[in-house]
Amino acid sequence: MFKKILLATSGAPSTFGAARVAFDMAKRYGAEVVVLNVMGVPTKAFSQVVNDVRTGEEVEVDDEYRSWVEEELKTTFEKQFETVEFSKLVLTTGVPHREILRCARDEDVDMIVMGASSGDSNVYRKGYPGSTLQRVAKAARCPVMTVHRETASYWGGFSNIVFATDFSKQAASAFKFSLNAAKELDSDLTILHALDISGKVLDQNEIEDRLIAARERIRGTYDLGDFKNCDIEVWEGVPYVEIVKMARERSADLIVMAHHIRELDPEKARIGSTMEQVILRAGCPVISVSKPDKV
Amino acid sequence: MPEGKFCNKTPITTEEQLKATLGDKGGKQYYEEMNHLDVDSEKLWGAIQKTMKSRTKTWLEICAHCGLCAESCFLYQVNGRVPEQVPSYKIQSTLGQMVKKKGKVDNEFMQMCMETAWSKCTCCNRCGMYCPHGIDMGVMFSYLRGLLYSQGFVPWELKIGAGMHRVYRAQMDVTMEDWVETCEWMAEETEEEWPGLEIPVDKEDADIMYTCNAREPKHYPEDIAEAAILFHVAGENWTVPSEGWEQTSLSMFAGDWECCKDNVVNVYSAIERLRPKRAIGTECGHAHRATVIEGPYWAGREDGQPPAPYIHYVEWLAEALRTGKLKIDPAKRIKEPVTLQDSCNYVRNQGLKDVTREIISYIVEPGYFVEMAPNKEHNYCCGGGGGFNGIGLYREQRNVALRKKKQQILDTGCKLVIAPCHNCWDAIRDLEEEYEIGIRWSFLKPLVIGMLDVPEHLLPKDE
């Protein structure tokens, strides 16, 4: 399930965590890493003039610039490239989310790994709302892993997976992925449903009833087969808080969630999305699954 | 006849030449070679005799140098109202002189002509509306560009642009395979949210054949997905051609007449091959001008019409809203001051001013639409038309040119600009980048999709 990993990186320090996890997975599971760098966003003419994604400055893409970027990336990830057997570097120009999706499709990868902070919102993005991450997570056919903070305690590998479900259609794919990963990596799995009681006034009995119902629903919905290392938990509260709390409690090194936010307009889908909040706050990689193709 | 390796009288016709010319960073060597490029006076005069017809002759002749066109030109206005920016002066001092001297002109003169034709005129044709004789200097400049191109005096990017059209029959390096693959990809990406959505390629006898701009598959394939969503929701029987899908014409801006014809004939063959009831082009201005307004003449069509009725995207959208094929949820209409950019190429040049306003009446809450002044067929060019946006050599001049549109937008007080034209969209994006006036801008498609009242049966089942 981890044969080919696409690492999307601008080469900036904010993506080092993602790189570390991607290369670590590749080393552990013998996967190939495709390192994609979208050098710049086309400004005019035939895409040879682009805004450098890191500086925002206008540059002309030619062989010289290309090899300079390549050299930069090779130097940045030098040690990591050495640790894996198969890797390649893909450089392109375009709108970042679109090129990440294009590359994932062309290379038929099993997972996309990227940093979570896109930094400033460049002028080019205004005409097409939504962050790179939102857009990639929405359309990718494979799971998308984001690593927001390089966790010092992350030793590599996954031994504790927390799968947070909202019972959506996409969550069924996310569950399949979690179960397969847990089996393959021989790790513990926690299935959590965070009962959303934010802004609601409920008496304790009703909350208890709902917790019991949710527990039943998890049992009825997700077939674990003969997999034993699994806990089922239902906590009430604000979903993203509960998910992050659970991850801390279990010392989870991976959180899996379903992605089904349709709204890309950041004004409307403001950071309200549970997914984004979890990514920002969790101390471990977060995987979002939206489609059943690669689970 | 010294001709340069890159700068010469021969059009780019192979991928190799394209790549090599692109490899000349910023056209440095290209422009250096241009300084030594000879003018083939005989050929130039021959071309003028053969191609300059009575209209242009008359126009050159009857211009009374009255200067009434001066104020009509936005470039005159933003460049300190210097006499050198008066349209009549601009054309008389270039094409006028070329004709007077029977083509016996030198390199320096040709370079001056190039600078005038590509950095002092966007072929927006506004001057033609204000000339007491109806002399349209935009049309004449298009003609002059053709003469300059044939002699090799053309900005580097447009030489490449015309080359792209010759090699790929598209303004960017998008092959037929790339295009078809992108359509499949977008259908895949969109069908989950819109069950049953398809992007049919080469379907014969459909009601609609849709054509677009190569930038869409190259960088913004969402645009194709959005077009598909709207056709799908409207229940249209539509298709895209695998060949002849690209309707833009940088060759028109470059003055590569031969290539203009080749490209438009290619689009028309697609119409003849697939026999759609009508063709619809994307939200692009010059592409419409090239395929619908001027194209039939380039292709030598007797009736001056494309092989099937060929309409602009805004015409289809207005019709779909009018007939109820697309329904807008009134609660989702735009409720902030919003203005509209009238694209010269289909508003001034084809009169589609009421159509776009009809669309506005459906998608904007009454009271929130603010007209630019002047507007409709009197509107000013965005500042980036006629290829101006893409020419690095004239970037500074282009940035000055954006000031007119900037002022117009600021005067409306709106923070949202609807720009149903790729070139205007680009210019307005650049305008924000350059002057940071805090605006947003959008094509129509994403706005309309965001406010659709979608029939129950088209929604995904499980939610």
Side-chain angles (χ1 to χ4, degrees):
Chain A
M1 66 192 291
F2 304 115
K3 285 281 157 279
K4 211 171 188 186
I5 298 168
L6 171 63
L7 168 65
T9 171
S10 59
S14 64
T15 64
F16 288 177
R20 191 173 150 201
V21 176
F23 280 105
D24 175 77
M25 284 167 67
K27 196 166 75 190
R28 274 168 204 272
Y29 316 127
E32 178 184 348
V33 184
V34 179
V35 179
L36 170 73
N37 173 259
V38 183
M39 294 181 287
V41 182
T43 58
K44 58 175 189 278
F46 318 101
S47 323
Q48 88 279 18
V49 179
V50 301
N51 282 332
D52 184 291
V53 284
R54 286 167 66 177
T55 62
E57 278 169 18
E58 234 175 56
V59 287
E60 284 205 32
V61 175
D62 57 2
D63 293 338
E64 196 186 335
Y65 183 76
R66 204 172 268 277
S67 42
W68 176 77
V69 171
E70 195 167 327
E71 210 42 53
E72 276 279 284
L73 287 168
K74 279 188 174 148
T75 316
T76 305
F77 300 120
E78 189 177 15
K79 286 203 176 82
Q80 287 153 316
F81 274 123
E82 283 167 9
T83 59
V84 296
E85 204 172 334
F86 314 102
S87 63
K88 71 169 175 187
L89 196 55
V90 178
L91 298 177
T92 187
T93 56
V95 182
H97 77 270
R98 188 41 63 194
E99 295 314 312
I100 293 169
L101 290 166
R102 193 192 306 271
C103 183
R105 182 180 155 93
D106 289 349
E107 298 279 350
D108 194 24
V109 300
D110 302 311
M111 184 177 290
I112 296 170
V113 183
M114 56 198 288
S117 93
S118 50
D120 61 339
S121 131
N122 262 326
V123 95
Y124 66 82
R125 211 178 279 135
K126 286 193 182 161
Y128 289 92
S131 72
T132 299
L133 170 62
Q134 279 175 316
R135 299 182 148 270
V136 170
K138 176 177 185 242
R141 312 296 310 184
C142 62
V144 178
M145 176 191 281
T146 36
V147 185
H148 179 49
R149 287 186 289 206
E150 209 183 349
T151 332
S153 59
Y154 177 76
W155 288 95
F158 302 115
S159 51
N160 280 299
I161 301 174
V162 169
F163 159 57
T165 179
D166 57 1
F167 300 114
S168 61
K169 183 180 83 174
Q170 289 79 0
S173 301
F175 167 72
K176 272 202 196 101
F177 174 82
S178 310
L179 182 64
N180 290 340
K183 281 181 183 169
E184 185 148 334
L185 312 177
D186 191 24
S187 49
D188 291 346
L189 176 64
T190 305
I191 302 180
L192 168 72
H193 174 67
L195 182 68
D196 189 354
I197 57 166
S198 53
K200 298 186 180 86
V201 181
L202 301 168
D203 64 48
Q204 197 52 34
N205 287 341
E206 187 165 357
I207 292 175
E208 298 293 338
D209 290 348
R210 289 195 188 190
L211 291 174
I212 292 164
R215 213 171 262 282
E216 287 305 311
R217 191 169 174 189
I218 291 179
R219 286 205 183 86
T221 310
Y222 301 121
D223 177 9
L224 289 159
D226 53 3
F227 186 75
K228 293 283 177 281
N229 310 338
C230 180
D231 283 338
I232 291 175
E233 294 287 354
V234 182
W235 288 2
E236 79 276 19
V238 180
Y240 74 82
V241 177
E242 299 311 309
I243 295 167
V244 174
K245 267 164 51 185
M246 175 63 77
R248 282 177 65 92
E249 166 136 334
R250 299 282 151 120
S251 308
D253 37 31
L254 181 63
I255 299 173
V256 181
M257 299 170 68
H259 180 94
H260 48 80
I261 295 288
R262 291 239 174 100
E263 189 53 72
L264 287 169
D265 189 336
E267 301 298 313
K268 294 183 189 143
R270 211 34 269 152
I271 203 102
S273 107
T274 303
M275 166 78 63
E276 281 197 41
Q277 289 287 4
V278 170
I279 287 169
L280 287 176
R281 290 155 204 277
C284 65
V286 179
I287 287 183
S288 89
V289 182
S290 147
K291 310 266 188 313
D293 305 34
K294 293 269 183 184
V295 297
Chain B
M1 289 282 142
E3 299 230 1
K5 179 179 167 200
F6 300 127
C7 185
N8 48 44
K9 298 179 175 60
T10 321
I12 295 173
T13 51
T14 67
E15 202 169 12
E16 257 166 293
Q17 287 172 301
L18 250 185
K19 290 215 163 86
T21 313
L22 266 169
D24 171 26
K25 205 169 173 176
K28 214 169 143 191
Q29 187 182 333
Y30 178 90
Y31 288 121
E32 178 45 41
E33 289 171 357
M34 191 179 283
N35 294 329
H36 310 286
L37 187 63
D38 274 348
V39 184
D40 185 343
S41 295
E42 220 164 291
K43 186 180 159 205
L44 181 59
W45 182 235
I48 291 173
Q49 285 175 300
K50 217 166 52 208
T51 57
M52 197 167 91
K53 300 276 163 41
S54 49
R55 183 176 68 171
T56 311
K57 280 185 197 156
T58 310
W59 277 350
L60 278 175
E61 207 52 48
I62 63 171
C63 171
H65 302 230
C66 68
L68 277 175
C69 54
E71 203 59 31
S72 73
C73 178
F74 78 106
L75 288 162
Y76 171 80
Q77 292 188 32
V78 294
N79 285 294
R81 295 188 158 77
V82 292
E84 291 77 20
Q85 285 280 5
V86 176
S88 59
Y89 172 82
K90 287 187 271 197
I91 198 72
Q92 291 291 346
S93 62
T94 51
L95 181 64
Q97 287 301 310
M98 204 183 274
V99 174
K100 266 206 179 81
K101 292 180 174 162
K102 296 198 161 49
K104 289 191 176 56
V105 289
D106 59 10
N107 179 297
E108 195 187 349
F109 174 87
M110 292 297 267
Q111 292 212 44
M112 181 276 288
C113 284
M114 177 176 95
E115 189 188 343
T116 311
W118 277 284
S119 79
K120 295 181 180 175
C121 175
T122 61
C123 304
C124 81
N125 312 87
R126 192 170 187 267
C127 49
M129 295 185 57
Y130 293 87
C131 169
H133 294 305
I135 300 173
D136 191 327
M137 280 139 296
V139 170
M140 289 157 94
F141 267 113
S142 291
Y143 174 66
L144 175 65
R145 287 178 178 197
L147 295 176
L148 292 166
Y149 181 87
S150 68
Q151 294 286 328
F153 292 89
V154 55
W156 177 71
E157 288 89 348
L158 286 174
K159 172 100 178 185
I160 294 168
M164 290 271 180
H165 280 288
R166 281 174 177 264
V167 175
Y168 299 101
R169 285 181 163 154
Q171 63 165 272
M172 284 176 153
D173 53 350
V174 180
T175 62
M176 182 175 133
E177 290 73 26
D178 292 339
W179 160 247
V180 173
E181 153 69 14
T182 304
C183 288
E184 281 171 22
W185 179 24
M186 283 303 111
E188 251 172 56
E189 202 170 277
T190 320
E191 70 192 352
E192 195 168 348
E193 230 171 306
W194 301 93
L197 176 139
E198 289 175 351
I199 302 184
V201 180
D202 283 341
K203 183 175 167 186
E204 294 181 4
D205 301 306
D207 294 339
I208 292 167
M209 182 185 103
Y210 181 66
T211 55
C212 67
N213 175 326
R215 289 175 33 145
E216 296 170 16
K218 176 90 180 168
H219 291 306
Y220 309 106
E222 288 90 341
D223 208 302
I224 300 160
E226 285 161 356
I229 291 169
L230 289 170
F231 284 142
H232 172 69
V233 174
E236 294 285 19
N237 168 11
W238 71 294
T239 188
V240 291
S242 57
E243 176 69 46
W245 55 274
E246 218 276 10
Q247 59 160 146
T248 69
S249 188
L250 287 178
S251 35
M252 172 171 79
F253 291 154
D256 186 346
W257 299 334
E258 192 184 15
C259 176
C260 286
K261 180 181 172 177
D262 170 85
N263 275 226
V264 82
V265 165
N266 192 40
V267 177
Y268 292 169
S269 338
I271 297 179
E272 279 155 356
R273 184 164 48 89
L274 300 176
R275 301 175 304 276
K277 287 200 180 63
R278 55 184 180 167
I280 296 174
T282 187
E283 289 175 75
C284 185
H286 89 276
H288 186 72
R289 177 174 173 175
T291 37
V292 181
I293 304 167
E294 303 205 22
Y297 298 97
W298 299 339
R301 295 183 61 86
E302 293 281 310
D303 59 356
Q305 296 293 330
Y310 207 134
I311 60 174
H312 192 274
Y313 198 79
V314 296
E315 294 179 88
W316 174 78
L317 191 57
E319 175 196 291
L321 291 164
R322 190 185 315 133
T323 55
K325 281 181 179 173
L326 293 175
K327 287 192 178 65
I328 299 289
D329 177 350
K332 293 184 185 159
R333 288 201 292 222
I334 298 172
K335 292 185 185 61
E336 64 169 301
V338 56
T339 188
L340 168 76
Q341 162 65 1
D342 287 299
S343 161
C344 308
N345 279 324
Y346 64 87
V347 176
R348 181 161 29 256
N349 287 331
Q350 213 208 0
L352 298 182
K353 58 187 178 189
D354 297 331
V355 174
T356 43
R357 280 160 184 77
E358 185 184 351
I359 296 169
I360 293 284
S361 75
Y362 293 107
I363 64 172
V364 179
E365 193 75 6
Y368 285 100
F369 175 54
V370 186
E371 290 276 11
M372 280 186 205
N375 64 350
K376 301 181 181 173
E377 69 271 41
H378 296 281
N379 191 24
Y380 290 107
C381 167
C382 57
F388 211 178
N389 267 342
I391 303 171
L393 185 64
Y394 304 137
R395 198 57 167 180
E396 284 309 306
Q397 292 93 315
R398 202 288 315 255
N399 287 346
V400 171
L402 296 173
R403 290 177 192 167
K404 190 74 211 175
K405 192 52 59 187
K406 179 189 84 171
Q407 200 49 51
Q408 278 188 287
I409 294 171
L410 284 172
D411 289 346
T412 64
C414 298
K415 292 288 174 214
L416 177 61
V417 183
I418 300 177
C421 165
H422 272 282
N423 222 344
C424 300
W425 191 100
D426 263 5
I428 292 167
R429 177 197 62 191
D430 286 0
L431 183 162
E432 174 59 26
E433 202 170 337
E434 185 68 20
Y435 299 105
E436 295 182 344
I437 59 173
I439 50 169
R440 293 172 286 109
W441 56 96
S442 179
F443 287 114
L444 282 161
K445 296 183 195 92
L447 292 173
V448 173
I449 290 172
M451 52 182 94
L452 280 181
D453 181 357
V454 184
E456 203 57 45
H457 69 276
L458 292 177
L459 292 168
K461 286 286 170 285
D462 58 336
E463 288 161 301

